[in-house]
Amino acid sequence: MAIKKSELYSSLWASCDELRGGMDASQYKDYVLTMLFVKYVSDKYGNKDNSLIEVPKGASFEDMVALKGKPDIGDQINKKILKPLFSANGLEGTVELVDFNDDDKLGSDKEKIDRLSKLISIFENPSLDFKNNRAEDDDILGDAYEYLMRHFATESGKSKGQFYTPAEVSRILAKVIDVKKADKPSYSVYDPTCGSGSLLLKVAEESPKGLTIYGQEMDIATKSLSVMNMWLHGFPEASIAGKNTIASPQFKETNGSLKRFDFVVANPPFSTKSWSNGISPMNDEFNRFKEYGVPPDKNGDYAFLLHIIASLKSTGKGAVILPHGVLFRGGAEGEIRKNILQRKLIKGIIGLPANLFYGTGIPACIIIIDKENADSRKGVFMIDASKGFIKDGNKNRLREQDIHLVVDVFNNQKEVEKYARFVPFEEIEKNEYNLNIPRYIDTQEAEDIQDLNAHLNGGIPNRDIQGLNDYWEVYLSMKKVLFEPLRDGYVKLKVDGNAVKETIYAHPEFINYRKKLDRVFDAWKQDVSKSLLSIKKESSPKKLVYQLAEDLLAQYENKPLIDRYDIYQHLMNYWNETMKDDVYMVIEEGWTAKVRRIIEKNNKGKEVDKGWTCDLLPKSIIIDNYFAEKLAALQQLEATLESILAEITGYEEEHAGEEGLLADATNDNGKLTKATVAKRLKEIKNDASEKEAVQLLQSIEKLFEQQAALGKQIKEQTAELDNLTLKQYDKLTEAEVKELVIEKKWMHSLSSSIQCEIDAISQRLTARIKELGERYDDTLGSVDKSVKTLEEKVNAHLKKMGLVWS
């Protein structure tokens, strides 16, 4: 049975990380990812004629497996595996091969032999099989690679994690530069600081026909990683060059000028101080700074931006990640920004949350450059996406809904209050070409104003009730049920504060609204049912979830009180946590609910059988649908057992204290047990003075007997139910499996999750109304009267004590 992909990736990382020892993660990644490369090309292209990649005889992953335990394993991997493999494919000299015989990093003698042997064993996992890998669908290979890269970046520390741009940010860049319009592979994309190549691959993934890929990376080891990454993802023809992009750009035309590209994306190192090493900016042979100005000596942010502008074709589009400071810093940078804006090259700016990137915690932005139609451009489209993220360990991470919202809003140039707006060039000019996003988008929430009149005289201001207008537009008559006029400009609650929730939930308009939203979900379910029922070996999980998600967004569009992107996030969460694994299981094994034993190792390392399970179709669903009566009977027995245990606990609490009748019938922990009760009863049953204690003990003894009998009965019925459930799996038809998985698992789980979002609507309304009611419930007069009454009581007590004289 196929292991869940999510479990495979986590176990792969855990196993690799365990072998790392004291080696820095930024170095160790080269060993692990080289191993992944050898494994992939061996599975995909080994023993095949005229294949994209040649795997020489004796240089496959299987040959590497044969080296496990050998004293010269590291040297043999270098000489017999890596060098022949890379040489046969023209990569010798293009990539720097990691040294598998490095004693300083891997240890010496037995330590190195064991570490490399175990590392090879990790990749022997039968679930890590690339023979039928569909690289274009970003399945096992793409997911495994992303998982490893993200974890290596996380572990590499502040100064060494820049080789990886978070996939979520890469996807935004890829989706806001019109790559989908590239309808032939001759369209080109370039990344001047490509790192491991992940950003380039995300852009290529957006193109319907693929792209011609160019990248340059100064770090030799990271450049090698990028080359292998291109091969892993089916782009062996990608051109990945080395050296410093600013000082020595490697992609040039025959006349020596910079090569120009259709698309350029980049995540350059932030604010690098040595950007001008190797060049004389005033005499730059490529004229990158001539019309704009020279960046400051110790800050290269604009050097990379100007290199990107110079590298774009006249209709080219680019997106670059830079620190927020580029939007507002003055001096030379301010002059460069002014010159870029006057040429109308900036189409948009997207402000990102802080702490997204592995090399820095400062907030960054995406600047979108578009040379096409620049002359007719009227302004810059700005988005403040700084608040859309979740915490992920010590970093922040964009959610699926954050990515989708940014892309939708930008590509549709849709203005959204407190989030996005189109800013005319005239307004930017009045602000002296300062692009700091808060100058143009006010994201501050409206202040919750305290009403002095209401505090003095009671009542809720109409202004606060009108602030809930979105609700009153849906629940047309509910406001009259909850409030009544008090005086001009103020109302009061007609119901007690504790009854607000019940009043809202019972209101017909609230009930009808929930039913309408239920119908929306049902309509979506109907729309996607055919696609779900037809999942088969040839299906693409990536295309499937895209269809499901886009259809869901469309169904919930313009529905009041609910954010369709929140609903979308519920689907994506469930997809990533459960449904994706399920779909892969169906693709690989068909609509069959296969059962597997649960084997775990105990503290002594011995394997123990912990029963059985079914990943695709959980036991609970089978029991609920086929053995509901037996389950109900078992639950009744368990409830009876619970009541007996509660009764015994009650006796303990009432009589087992130090002075209690049962003080001598407990164990060292003060608990009554069958043994302690029997022992005490034997001691005193003939003692007339202990008659009451004897009666209590006899009652408790019967309870313990009932407990034992029930326990045995529950155990027997549990085993019987488990056995019946196991046998039921063999009886299931394909149609039944489809029905149970789609309806009872996927749709039931999604419906429950989305229902929580709908429940939150009423919870927010309830909370706000109760807050307003409590805020103005006690007027100044009533408080003053209460204080006066309390003061009189205190004075009366003091007078009785002789401490106050009238």
Side-chain angles (χ1 to χ4, degrees):
M1 169 169 289
I3 188 173
K4 288 184 179 182
K5 302 300 181 221
S6 56
E7 293 177 4
L8 171 64
Y9 308 142
S10 59
S11 68
L12 182 63
W13 165 256
S15 299
C16 290
D17 193 46
E18 185 180 345
L19 293 177
R20 175 156 61 102
M23 197 189 314
D24 188 274
S26 62
Q27 297 174 323
Y28 186 53
K29 76 178 187 303
D30 300 333
Y31 292 95
V32 173
L33 295 173
T34 298
M35 193 77 73
L36 180 66
F37 177 78
V38 175
K39 169 68 171 151
Y40 172 72
V41 298
S42 298
D43 283 357
K44 189 74 174 175
Y45 304 107
N47 301 317
K48 293 181 181 178
D49 296 328
N50 302 315
S51 62
L52 190 65
I53 299 175
E54 180 186 346
V55 181
K57 187 176 181 180
S60 70
F61 180 76
E62 288 74 16
D63 297 304
M64 191 183 286
V65 171
L67 298 174
K68 289 196 305 182
K70 294 193 173 181
D72 58 347
I73 181 173
D75 188 50
Q76 291 297 309
I77 289 175
N78 287 342
K79 292 178 179 178
K80 290 189 175 181
I81 309 294
L82 299 185
K83 286 188 178 180
L85 177 60
F86 282 78
S87 179
N89 293 285
L91 293 177
E92 195 171 26
T94 303
V95 300
E96 181 185 38
L97 298 179
V98 62
D99 184 3
F100 276 78
N101 202 35
D102 190 327
D103 290 356
D104 292 334
K105 294 178 181 176
L106 298 168
S108 58
D109 302 326
K110 189 176 186 302
E111 182 184 2
K112 179 170 61 180
I113 295 167
D114 289 347
R115 178 173 285 172
L116 291 177
S117 297
K118 289 177 181 177
L119 189 60
I120 293 169
S121 296
I122 291 169
F123 286 87
E124 282 186 276
N125 189 325
S127 296
L128 201 65
D129 183 359
F130 300 119
K131 290 183 174 66
N132 299 310
N133 180 66
R134 299 177 308 283
E136 71 276 8
D137 192 37
D138 191 27
D139 54 359
I140 183 173
L141 174 66
D143 287 351
Y145 182 84
E146 282 290 346
Y147 193 96
L148 289 171
M149 288 297 285
R150 183 187 292 277
H151 279 73
F152 278 126
T154 302
E155 296 289 322
S156 291
K158 184 175 180 181
S159 63
K160 299 176 182 177
Q162 293 183 354
F163 59 82
Y164 175 69
T165 301
E168 298 83 13
V169 182
S170 296
R171 285 165 56 197
I172 292 179
L173 270 69
K175 290 174 182 289
V176 296
I177 54 174
D178 293 334
V179 177
K180 284 193 173 182
K181 294 179 181 178
D183 55 2
K184 47 186 180 290
S186 59
Y187 277 87
S188 58
V189 60
Y190 166 58
D191 184 344
T193 57
C194 69
S196 63
S198 58
L199 177 51
L200 278 170
L201 288 168
K202 282 291 183 287
V203 177
E205 186 181 301
E206 285 296 310
S207 171
K209 300 292 184 180
L211 294 168
T212 303
I213 296 175
Y214 298 84
Q216 187 166 347
E217 170 55 44
M218 181 170 63
D219 183 87
I220 298 173
T222 305
K223 178 216 164 188
S224 302
L225 194 63
S226 183
V227 172
M228 287 190 284
N229 198 8
M230 295 298 145
W231 283 63
L232 285 171
H233 287 80
F235 293 96
E237 73 284 355
S239 298
I240 306 296
K243 298 189 177 180
N244 184 318
T245 294
I246 302 298
S248 181
Q250 294 296 292
F251 299 108
K252 294 178 275 191
E253 303 292 355
T254 52
N255 64 2
S257 63
L258 284 179
K259 184 175 180 63
R260 301 198 172 201
F261 306 92
D262 297 293
F263 305 101
V264 179
V265 290
N267 179 18
F270 287 0
S271 307
T272 181
K273 293 178 171 58
S274 56
W275 72 269
S276 60
N277 285 358
I279 65 167
S280 175
M282 296 298 293
N283 300 303
D284 177 46
E285 62 176 303
F286 305 107
N287 295 316
R288 290 170 289 187
F289 316 115
K290 184 177 180 181
E291 297 180 3
Y292 301 95
V294 176
D297 290 341
K298 295 185 178 181
N299 195 321
D301 293 328
Y302 272 100
F304 288 104
L305 181 57
L306 293 176
H307 175 81
I308 287 168
I309 291 173
S311 300
L312 282 169
K313 292 180 179 178
S314 60
T315 56
K317 304 173 190 340
V320 57
I321 301 165
L322 291 171
H324 259 278
V326 300
L327 302 178
F328 54 80
R329 290 193 297 250
E333 292 184 311
E335 188 64 24
I336 296 171
R337 185 170 59 247
K338 174 182 175 181
N339 288 328
I340 294 173
L341 285 165
Q342 287 180 338
R343 287 163 177 77
K344 302 179 179 180
L345 296 176
I346 297 179
K347 180 180 180 181
I349 296 169
I350 300 168
L352 297 171
N355 202 28
L356 284 182
F357 299 93
Y358 295 100
T360 178
I362 66 173
C365 64
I366 300 171
I367 296 180
I368 297 96
I369 302 292
D370 190 350
K371 287 188 175 180
E372 190 173 25
N373 303 318
D375 291 341
S376 59
R377 190 164 292 129
K378 304 297 183 183
V380 177
F381 193 82
M382 294 188 181
I383 295 178
D384 187 337
S386 60
K387 295 181 179 179
F389 64 90
I390 58 169
K391 293 294 294 181
D392 185 10
N394 63 352
K395 305 300 291 181
N396 295 330
R397 181 164 58 84
L398 298 176
R399 299 165 294 181
E400 292 289 339
Q401 71 182 93
D402 303 319
I403 299 167
H404 212 303
L405 178 60
V406 167
V407 172
D408 284 354
V409 168
F410 185 83
N411 287 345
N412 293 308
Q413 300 281 288
K414 179 183 177 182
E415 293 199 342
V416 178
E417 186 179 5
K418 296 185 179 297
Y419 185 77
R421 66 176 287 241
F422 181 82
V423 183
F425 282 125
E426 292 81 1
E427 185 177 348
I428 294 172
E429 184 178 358
K430 287 178 182 177
N431 278 289
E432 298 178 332
Y433 299 96
N434 187 313
L435 293 176
N436 197 19
I437 296 174
R439 285 194 177 217
Y440 305 99
I441 301 175
D442 179 12
T443 61
Q444 296 298 314
E445 296 297 326
E447 185 180 354
D448 189 8
I449 300 172
Q450 299 280 339
D451 190 289
L452 183 58
N453 189 309
H455 280 299
L456 289 170
N457 303 305
I460 301 171
N462 283 346
R463 177 189 62 248
D464 288 323
I465 305 304
Q466 290 164 0
L468 299 169
N469 225 36
D470 288 348
Y471 294 97
W472 312 138
E473 289 177 0
V474 175
Y475 311 136
L476 298 174
S477 64
M478 189 184 288
K479 183 164 62 170
K480 292 181 180 179
V481 175
L482 292 166
F483 306 101
E484 62 182 359
L486 178 64
R487 63 180 187 280
D488 188 30
Y490 296 86
V491 298
K492 68 175 183 178
L493 272 172
K494 290 173 68 174
V495 300
D496 184 84
N498 294 324
V500 170
K501 179 179 179 179
E502 182 183 342
T503 304
I504 292 172
Y505 274 63
H507 196 280
E509 289 168 353
F510 175 76
I511 295 169
N512 289 337
Y513 176 66
R514 289 187 67 153
K515 288 179 178 178
K516 285 181 181 178
L517 290 180
D518 287 343
R519 289 195 290 273
V520 173
F521 182 83
D522 289 340
W524 172 74
K525 187 167 70 172
Q526 184 66 33
D527 282 352
V528 301
S529 62
K530 185 177 179 181
S531 297
L532 294 174
L533 286 166
S534 60
I535 297 173
K536 53 185 181 295
K537 187 176 182 179
E538 296 75 25
S539 296
S540 162
K542 189 174 180 181
K543 291 177 182 176
L544 174 65
V545 70
Y546 178 80
Q547 178 199 341
L548 299 179
E550 294 307 306
D551 202 318
L552 188 70
L553 278 168
Q555 288 287 352
Y556 282 91
E557 187 172 13
N558 297 323
K559 298 298 183 287
L561 301 182
I562 200 159
D563 186 333
R564 66 184 184 133
Y565 292 99
D566 288 336
I567 301 295
Y568 165 81
Q569 185 65 42
H570 283 284
L571 170 61
M572 298 311 296
N573 285 346
Y574 186 65
W575 172 262
N576 289 320
E577 292 165 3
T578 301
M579 195 172 171
K580 185 177 183 180
D581 282 332
D582 289 350
V583 169
Y584 271 111
M585 273 188 272
V586 173
I587 288 173
E588 294 175 13
E589 301 174 350
W591 287 97
T592 58
K594 292 186 177 181
V595 171
R596 65 177 174 86
R597 303 305 301 184
I598 304 172
I599 307 298
E600 296 179 0
K601 289 186 177 181
N602 61 19
N603 294 334
K604 297 180 179 179
K606 183 180 179 181
E607 290 188 344
V608 179
D609 190 331
K610 294 287 187 177
W612 60 275
T613 189
C614 178
D615 295 315
L616 182 63
L617 197 51
K619 291 182 187 182
S620 59
I621 294 176
I622 299 297
I623 293 171
D624 287 342
N625 282 272
Y626 295 98
F627 307 109
E629 289 184 7
K630 288 187 176 296
L631 177 63
L634 179 59
Q635 289 172 337
Q636 182 58 51
L637 289 176
E638 290 171 340
T640 304
L641 179 60
E642 284 294 322
S643 67
I644 288 173
L645 293 173
E647 198 172 346
I648 293 172
T649 301
Y651 279 120
E652 286 176 351
E653 292 174 351
E654 187 175 356
H655 300 289
E658 289 185 11
E659 303 297 328
L661 288 171
L662 304 179
D664 295 324
T666 60
N667 61 14
D668 292 340
N669 296 320
K671 298 292 182 182
L672 296 168
T673 70
K674 185 178 180 180
T676 59
V677 167
K679 179 183 178 183
R680 181 59 177 162
L681 191 57
K682 185 177 180 181
E683 291 171 351
I684 65 171
K685 68 178 180 179
N686 296 318
D687 188 342
S689 64
E690 297 284 2
K691 184 177 179 181
E692 187 178 354
V694 169
Q695 290 175 342
L696 276 175
L697 288 167
Q698 287 173 337
S699 298
I700 296 168
E701 191 172 46
K702 287 181 181 179
L703 289 175
F704 277 119
E705 289 171 357
Q706 292 173 18
Q707 177 194 3
L710 275 171
K712 182 180 179 182
Q713 200 174 351
I714 288 170
K715 185 177 180 180
E716 290 172 350
Q717 290 195 20
T718 299
E720 180 189 1
L721 182 57
D722 194 62
N723 190 44
L724 287 170
T725 304
L726 180 59
K727 290 179 179 178
Q728 186 64 38
Y729 279 94
D730 292 332
K731 301 175 184 178
L732 295 175
T733 65
E734 181 178 299
E736 286 175 319
V737 173
K738 285 184 177 182
E739 166 76 14
L740 292 170
V741 171
I742 294 173
E743 289 293 329
K744 304 298 183 179
K745 184 180 184 183
W746 294 346
M747 291 302 161
H748 176 75
S749 298
L750 281 169
S751 177
S752 299
S753 179
I754 290 172
Q755 193 60 51
C756 294
E757 202 65 46
I758 296 169
D759 290 341
I761 296 171
S762 58
Q763 290 165 3
R764 288 193 293 269
L765 178 60
T766 299
R768 180 57 175 166
I769 291 172
K770 289 184 71 175
E771 178 188 19
L772 291 171
E774 291 169 1
R775 176 182 295 175
Y776 300 116
D777 192 36
D778 293 324
T779 65
L780 182 61
S782 64
V783 171
D784 189 48
K785 185 177 179 181
S786 176
V787 170
K788 188 173 182 181
T789 300
L790 291 171
E791 185 180 359
E792 289 173 351
K793 287 182 178 180
V794 170
N795 284 335
H797 283 299
L798 291 173
K799 189 173 182 180
K800 284 182 180 179
M801 296 168 65
L803 298 175
V804 175
W805 294 268
S806 55

